[in-house]
Amino acid sequence: MARSDTYLDAMLRHLGAAYYESLHGRATRTDVARALDTVEEHLNEPPSHPGPARAARPRPSGQGDEPRHRRWARRVSDVMTTSVVTVDRITPYQEIDRVLNQHRISGVPVLKIGREVIGVVSEADLLAAEDETNRQARMASSVGGRRLLRKQPPASLTAGTLMTAPAITIGPDATIPAAARVMNTHHVRRLPVTDKDGKLVGIVSRRDLLSIFLRPDADIAHDVQEILHETACDEPTTITVTVQHGVVTLTGTIEPAPDRHHLIDLTIGMIWDVDGVVDVVNKLSEAEQAQTA
């Protein structure tokens, strides 16, 4: 995993942990908002020094940046919103403004016939158009010898002229980390989700991606136990799994064997892929060999 991707993953997990704490009365909504601001400030600029080694996700050798598809790892389709507020190309400026305020959102997909996404219009697009309109009004008033206080955006401004195109979209089968990387790369807060034909099927936001960190600790522990069973790490040794606020701790002893460490590394890499995991603490130790006379 590239350093920037590792850092993004760690920051999202940090925010997820803060949100989790708030739901259990151990942090305030202000703490969560502050954490969100911190993440957003750093999304566009990786740290000059790598974070603690424990925050990086260990990966088995030969594995690429893209997490493997596992049955317990949720996809974009699992967290996206399917009821999407949209506009078409002829929707006027004032109507777009009203829709954004009514639904308390910062952007909407622009569709053409057949629900194909052709662009996205956001609050930033509206503000840029308003600024340009007022600039032109000031120039006109200067030429006319009188000053106009403010000019409303002209009716000719529609979603088709205001939108950012082509739209940055993502497929429903994309992984959560993949969606986070797309948002980070293109500096967007939400992504329209489209099928293979480019038709809108949902929308996913940064907060939707963070919802994976709200899983109960018991559910996370169950998935980790499944992984230990499938990788045969729970036999013949005993490994105890505890999960607190999304932090998975492995304790116990393992039998020394040539390939045992590789198996443990593989297992820890799989545990990192479990939804809701904030960190993995490895406290496993090797059993002492029996002394022979």
Side-chain angles (χ1 to χ4, degrees), residues 62-190:
Q63 182 177 341
D65 289 345
E66 187 64 28
R68 296 155 293 171
H69 190 179
R70 303 193 181 283
R71 66 177 179 275
W72 50 75
R74 286 187 286 179
R75 299 268 159 167
V76 166
S77 58
D78 297 315
V79 298
M80 70 183 186
T81 299
T82 55
S83 178
V84 187
V85 179
T86 64
V87 296
D88 56 37
R89 283 177 290 188
I90 63 173
T91 304
Y93 181 107
Q94 287 80 2
E95 177 63 15
I96 299 171
D97 191 11
R98 186 193 66 78
V99 168
L100 296 182
N101 278 281
Q102 177 183 347
H103 296 278
R104 297 184 178 182
I105 53 180
S106 61
V108 288
V110 182
L111 307 184
K112 69 178 184 180
I113 296 177
R115 291 188 63 78
E116 182 179 345
V117 180
I118 58 173
V120 173
V121 61
S122 66
E123 288 176 334
D125 295 321
L126 298 186
L127 290 172
E130 183 177 6
D131 182 65
E132 175 62 19
T133 299
N134 289 333
R135 187 186 67 82
Q136 294 179 2
R138 288 193 298 271
M139 292 178 59
S141 64
S142 176
V143 173
R146 58 190 183 89
R147 186 176 182 82
L148 299 179
L149 294 179
R150 189 173 185 271
K151 180 178 175 61
Q152 292 293 335
S156 60
L157 290 181
T158 63
T161 59
L162 294 168
M163 68 182 183
T164 299
I168 307 300
T169 64
I170 198 163
D173 292 329
T175 63
I176 300 300
R181 284 196 294 273
V182 172
M183 289 183 184
N184 180 41
T185 300
H186 297 281
H187 314 300
V188 295
R189 296 174 180 269
R190 59 182 47 77

Side-chain angles (χ1 to χ4, degrees), residues 5-16 39 55-57 278:
D5 288 345
T6 300
Y7 181 63
L8 171 61
D9 184 83
M11 291 296 288
L12 289 174
R13 289 179 184 278
H14 162 69
L15 180 53
V39 171
R57 300 182 61 171
V278 175

Side-chain angles (χ1 to χ4, degrees), residues 249-271:
T249 302
L250 305 177
T251 56
T253 57
I254 58 175
E255 295 294 333
D259 60 345
R260 178 63 65 179
H261 289 292
H262 174 74
L263 181 60
I264 293 298
D265 289 343
L266 174 66
T267 302
I268 291 177
M270 295 169 66
I271 292 173

